[in-house]
Amino acid sequence: MMDSQEKTLEMSEQQAEVKQNETVVEPAAEEVKQEVTIEETATEEVKQEETVVEPATEEVKPEEATVEAIAETVAEETKPEVEAVTETAEEVKKASYDSKQEILERLKEIAQSDATPEKSEVEQLKTIFYKLHFAEREAQMKEYLDNGGDPEKYQILPDEEENTFKAEMTIIREKRQKAFAEQEQEKQENLKTKLNIIEKIKAMVTSPEEANKTYQEFKTLQQQWKEIKAVPAEKANELWRNYQLYVEQFYDLLRLNSIARDEDFKKNLEAKTKLCEIAEKLADEEDVISAFHQLQDLHQQYREIGPVAKDLREEIWTRFKEASTVINKRHQKHFEDIRAREEENLTKKTALCEKVEAIAKEENKGSADWEKHTKEIIAIQQEWKGIGFAPQKMNVKIFERFRAACDDFFNRKGEYFKQLKERFAENAAKKKALVEKAQALADSTEWKSTSDKLINLQKEWKTIGMVPKKLGDQLWNDFLAACNKFFEARNAATAGTRNEEHANLEKKQSIIEQLKELLKEQGEGLQEKVQTLIDEYNAVGHVPYKEKDKLFKEYHEILDKLYKELNISIARRRLDRFKNNLKQVAERGIDAMDNERSRLMRRYEQLKQEINTYENNIGFLSVSSKKGNSLIDEMNRKVQKLKDDLELTKQKIKAIDAESKE
């Protein structure tokens, strides 16, 4: 599932790149790269030719300066914007094809047609084709995963339609290259023709006496100039300046009668006034890009119209310039808004990158954390898809950053689940082995040893990690059935034994109650009574397993209290008896006292050695089991008794020393 989400994101972003930048289209990038470069070059040439208006006479100097300034500003500021918005405008049209087959049929028509392929339509077809192509890929992968396929083994199948698409695009590219070469050749021919026209007008200007006679020829040359189309962009400005220079000079030298000349000026004024009206109406055009392109056509027409009367030249040009300024400002604002939105989108996408990078750095303690963070990243990916383009220079970079963060997370997630799958397989193998062992013991009648073995198997089962739920439930049910089979058989066979154990429990509880009563008694014979009850307790057999620990604890707690009381009272009485007998020993002489003291010293050292031995042994014992714990308690009681004897011996030695001083 993780790989699916990751690949879906990748394909969606590739679709976005197809829309904004021709050079980023995945399969067909190399095929269309040269075509795009050629088209852009041609576009720049047309723009330069269209936006230059520079009459060359001193009489129209304000007009030429203003037009040239506006033309240069438009050429510099709008060149990349026109290309970008053209693509944006084309995106609106991407709803006329519903299948890749329809697109291929249209491409074949274009490839087989004699007409030069239109870049806008070709790019539209290319974008829609890959949008459908990526959607099909995503659907195929989803179907594969839904059917239980392994994401790591998924492979993208070859697409014959894509191969056909590439082949048709190659033909179209070659046609466009050929058309461009022909256009370049035509531009060179047009340049030669226009240079020839300029030379002819120049010759007319140098013969003022022939001006009236050559007027019709001059008008013919003007018409020829209008009919000639594009020339090389690098020659357009200089060519136009020279043409205007000699046209204006010819008019200045022309000696027509005032009626003919005024009629010519009047026609030119009417034509330029009409262009001003059309330009002013463009301010209401909703499509800013279309209005801008129409304005370029109007400028071209304006340049081709001859001059008007000197006193009206600045006025008519100012009107046309003001109308142009309105359109240019709308056009500029349109792209400023686009840039602002793209910067805002970049900010949003940067924030999403930071979120994914932060999630990728978080520690995932288990599957739940991985799934939680996966959902968060998928949600961020969906949010990313809803954000538009970033600035062109940053669009690819910000996507690569976002993709790298997602890839890092999903790669580590894939590695985690790969290792988890391996652990699951290992744990499943261990549990299967335990199931087999339990099933082998299920029919045993060696109740005690088999019970211990099954209990150990159950403890071992708890130490084994998780396995997939479905398999885990099956293994557990098999294991539990084998254990239950044995224990049910054992319980049926040992029903009488359990009755006896309950009777033993009652006997031991009665003895414990008697020991509690003895704790309240004082006087002679207490130790003998306690020992008698201890012997009776030890003679009673087993009790139910569940009651054993509780009974053991209660029994030894009361014994500890009794021993404590008995040791204090007995030790005191024994010391008093020793002191009383000590006077009789003293009467036998000093040697008798020395012998008794030596005996007690040997006893003292012996007790110290025994205490050390017991304490060392206790240090080596483990308390991990209940039996080990009870053994330690018993040894601690013995150590305490030895210490009490040691203290009593010490007091006896002190009594001998005190008696000897007297």
Side-chain angles (χ1 to χ4, degrees):
M1 186 64 188
M2 56 192 175
D3 295 327
S4 172
Q5 296 295 338
E6 180 187 4
K7 292 178 180 177
T8 301
L9 172 65
E10 179 179 348
M11 290 191 286
S12 300
E13 194 63 26
Q14 287 174 330
Q15 295 171 20
E17 293 175 9
V18 169
K19 295 179 183 178
Q20 185 173 8
N21 189 342
E22 292 87 347
T23 60
V24 188
V25 176
E26 174 197 359
E30 292 300 325
E31 298 177 357
V32 301
K33 186 172 183 181
Q34 186 175 1
E35 172 189 346
V36 171
T37 304
I38 293 171
E39 184 66 23
E40 289 176 348
T41 304
T43 303
E44 291 177 4
E45 294 170 357
V46 173
K47 286 192 181 104
Q48 290 179 6
E49 184 178 354
E50 288 176 345
T51 55
V52 175
V53 179
E54 190 174 1
T57 64
E58 293 182 359
E59 296 174 355
V60 293
K61 197 167 186 178
E63 175 180 345
E64 61 186 75
T66 307
V67 174
E68 182 177 10
I70 292 177
E72 291 177 354
T73 301
V74 171
E76 291 298 324
E77 294 184 357
T78 65
K79 187 189 302 178
E81 296 173 346
V82 171
E83 295 172 4
V85 175
T86 300
E87 295 170 10
T88 305
E90 288 169 0
E91 290 180 14
V92 179
K93 302 186 292 183
K94 297 177 183 176
S96 56
Y97 297 96
D98 298 324
S99 69
K100 293 194 291 184
Q101 189 59 40
E102 292 180 9
I103 296 172
L104 292 176
E105 291 175 359
R106 177 54 186 156
L107 283 176
K108 290 177 181 179
E109 291 177 4
I110 295 174
Q112 295 171 5
S113 172
D114 294 333
T116 301
E118 290 291 335
K119 175 189 172 184
S120 59
E121 183 180 7
V122 173
E123 290 305 314
Q124 177 187 357
L125 292 170
K126 176 177 62 181
T127 302
I128 299 176
F129 179 87
Y130 277 106
K131 182 177 180 181
L132 297 172
H133 181 64
F134 291 141
E136 287 182 3
R137 278 191 185 178
E138 185 176 350
Q140 291 170 358
M141 182 171 65
K142 184 176 184 301
E143 181 181 1
Y144 174 79
L145 295 176
D146 290 343
N147 292 331
D150 187 350
E152 298 179 358
K153 297 181 180 179
Y154 178 73
Q155 294 182 347
I156 298 176
L157 299 177
D159 188 348
E160 290 300 325
E161 290 181 331
E162 184 182 12
N163 294 334
T164 303
F165 174 83
K166 291 180 180 180
E168 296 300 328
M169 286 294 292
T170 300
I171 296 173
I172 293 173
R173 182 193 65 198
E174 293 173 352
K175 288 186 66 175
R176 288 183 60 79
Q177 290 175 345
K178 181 179 178 182
F180 178 74
E182 292 174 351
Q183 289 174 3
E184 289 299 306
Q185 181 63 33
E186 183 181 354
K187 287 178 183 179
Q188 293 295 333
E189 296 296 331
N190 292 342
L191 176 62
K192 292 179 182 179
T193 304
K194 285 195 171 185
L195 287 173
N196 187 38
I197 291 174
I198 290 173
E199 289 298 323
K200 290 181 179 180
I201 296 175
K202 182 178 177 181
M204 294 177 183
V205 171
T206 57
S207 303
E209 66 281 357
E210 300 293 331
N212 289 332
K213 296 179 181 180
T214 57
Y215 178 72
Q216 290 302 325
E217 182 183 353
F218 171 76
K219 298 297 291 183
T220 301
L221 292 174
Q222 277 189 313
Q223 183 60 35
Q224 291 177 4
W225 180 277
K226 292 179 183 179
E227 293 173 355
I228 299 171
K229 301 302 179 182
V231 296
E234 66 273 12
K235 300 291 184 180
N237 287 340
E238 180 182 0
L239 190 70
W240 175 252
R241 283 195 292 268
N242 291 335
Y243 174 72
Q244 283 296 100
L245 173 65
Y246 295 116
V247 166
E248 293 294 343
Q249 288 181 4
F250 180 84
Y251 272 108
D252 290 339
L253 296 174
L254 190 61
R255 293 294 181 268
L256 293 173
N257 61 64
S258 59
I259 297 175
R261 184 173 182 178
D262 290 345
E263 183 67 22
D264 201 31
F265 282 164
K266 181 180 178 182
K267 290 180 180 179
N268 293 341
L269 179 62
E270 290 175 354
K272 289 190 174 183
T273 301
K274 185 176 181 181
L275 293 183
C276 290
E277 293 171 352
I278 296 173
E280 289 165 351
K281 289 181 180 180
L282 288 178
D284 299 326
E285 174 67 47
E286 293 183 0
D287 189 340
V288 177
I289 305 302
S290 175
F292 178 77
H293 288 309
Q294 292 180 55
L295 180 64
Q296 304 308 305
D297 294 337
L298 294 179
H299 271 275
Q300 178 66 23
Q301 296 177 41
Y302 193 96
R303 288 195 295 267
E304 293 172 353
I305 297 173
V308 299
K310 289 183 180 181
D311 58 337
L312 295 175
R313 287 177 185 174
E314 184 174 355
E315 177 184 348
I316 193 66
W317 165 244
T318 300
R319 180 180 178 184
F320 187 67
K321 181 184 68 175
E322 289 176 351
S324 299
T325 300
V326 173
I327 305 304
N328 287 332
K329 286 184 177 179
R330 287 184 64 205
H331 185 262
Q332 182 177 359
K333 184 177 182 304
H334 174 75
F335 285 102
E336 288 175 352
D337 293 342
I338 290 177
R339 284 194 291 270
R341 288 196 300 271
E342 289 178 344
E343 289 294 337
E344 182 181 350
N345 293 340
L346 178 61
T347 301
K348 292 179 180 179
K349 289 188 172 184
T350 301
L352 295 185
C353 288
E354 292 172 353
K355 284 184 180 180
V356 174
E357 289 166 352
I359 293 173
K361 290 179 181 178
E362 290 185 17
E363 180 182 1
N364 297 285
K365 297 181 179 179
S367 301
D369 286 348
W370 282 108
E371 292 305 322
K372 172 189 172 186
H373 291 153
T374 298
K375 291 179 180 178
E376 292 175 0
I377 289 182
I378 291 174
I380 292 173
Q381 289 176 344
Q382 293 300 321
E383 185 177 352
W384 177 283
K385 294 178 183 178
I387 301 174
F389 295 123
Q392 187 170 356
K393 291 182 179 179
M394 292 299 298
N395 195 58
V396 174
K397 291 181 180 179
I398 195 66
F399 171 67
E400 289 175 349
R401 177 181 174 183
F402 184 71
R403 177 178 175 181
C406 292
D407 286 348
D408 175 57
F409 174 82
F410 285 112
N411 288 339
R412 291 192 298 107
K413 178 183 177 183
E415 183 62 27
Y416 169 80
F417 280 99
K418 179 181 178 182
Q419 295 177 2
L420 185 63
K421 187 176 180 181
E422 292 173 355
R423 289 200 299 273
F424 279 176
E426 183 179 346
N427 293 338
K430 291 179 180 179
K431 288 191 174 183
K432 286 179 181 178
L434 294 185
V435 170
E436 292 173 358
K437 290 180 181 179
Q439 290 173 341
L441 295 171
D443 296 324
S444 175
T445 57
E446 297 178 1
W447 309 124
K448 180 66 173 98
S449 62
T450 305
S451 295
D452 293 340
K453 291 178 182 178
L454 286 175
I455 291 172
N456 290 333
L457 291 179
Q458 291 172 347
K459 292 178 180 178
E460 185 178 353
W461 182 281
K462 293 178 181 179
T463 64
I464 301 174
M466 296 177 60
V467 296
K469 187 177 185 306
K470 184 176 180 181
L471 178 59
D473 290 345
Q474 178 184 347
L475 291 173
W476 170 246
N477 291 333
D478 294 343
F479 182 72
L480 187 62
C483 293
N484 288 342
K485 180 179 180 181
F486 170 80
F487 286 115
E488 288 172 1
R490 186 202 65 176
N491 292 340
T494 59
T497 303
R498 289 200 300 275
N499 293 333
E500 182 181 348
E501 288 176 350
H502 282 289
N504 292 339
L505 175 62
E506 294 176 359
K507 290 179 183 179
K508 287 191 174 184
Q509 288 174 338
S510 175
I511 293 172
I512 290 172
E513 292 299 323
Q514 294 178 55
L515 289 171
K516 290 179 180 179
E517 292 297 326
L518 288 178
L519 186 61
K520 301 175 184 179
E521 295 183 8
Q522 299 293 333
E524 298 293 336
L526 181 60
Q527 185 173 3
E528 288 76 9
K529 293 179 182 179
V530 171
Q531 188 60 46
T532 300
L533 290 174
I534 290 174
D535 293 339
E536 291 180 9
Y537 189 93
N538 292 334
V540 178
H542 294 292
V543 298
Y545 183 80
K546 293 181 180 180
E547 301 291 338
K548 182 175 68 173
D549 293 337
K550 178 182 177 182
L551 193 69
F552 178 87
K553 181 179 178 183
E554 186 178 4
Y555 172 67
H556 284 284
E557 283 179 355
I558 190 62
L559 277 186
D560 289 342
K561 292 179 181 179
L562 285 168
Y563 280 138
K564 184 176 180 182
E565 292 294 329
L566 287 172
N567 287 340
I568 293 174
S569 59
I570 292 172
R572 186 179 297 114
R573 286 197 299 271
R574 290 173 64 185
L575 182 59
D576 291 340
R577 285 198 300 269
F578 178 79
K579 288 180 178 180
N580 292 331
N581 293 331
L582 191 60
K583 293 180 180 181
Q584 296 177 2
V585 175
E587 291 176 356
R588 293 201 297 268
I590 191 168
D591 291 337
M593 292 285 286
D594 289 341
N595 291 335
E596 183 63 21
R597 191 179 189 283
S598 297
R599 186 185 67 79
L600 290 173
M601 285 299 298
R602 289 194 298 274
R603 175 63 177 163
Y604 184 82
E605 292 299 328
Q606 181 183 356
L607 290 171
K608 282 179 63 177
Q609 185 175 357
E610 289 183 15
I611 290 171
N612 288 334
T613 301
Y614 274 113
E615 287 179 342
N616 288 334
N617 291 338
I618 290 173
F620 291 110
L621 290 176
S622 171
V623 296
S624 60
S625 65
K626 294 177 181 177
K627 290 183 179 180
N629 195 21
S630 63
L631 181 58
I632 290 175
D633 291 341
E634 183 66 28
M635 293 183 71
N636 282 330
R637 282 192 291 273
K638 288 183 179 181
V639 169
Q640 186 60 47
K641 187 175 183 305
L642 290 172
K643 287 181 178 180
D644 293 339
D645 290 343
L646 182 69
E647 181 63 25
L648 178 61
T649 303
K650 182 178 179 182
Q651 294 299 325
K652 286 181 179 181
I653 294 171
K654 287 182 178 181
I656 291 175
D657 293 340
E659 185 67 26
S660 297
K661 289 180 182 180
E662 294 178 358

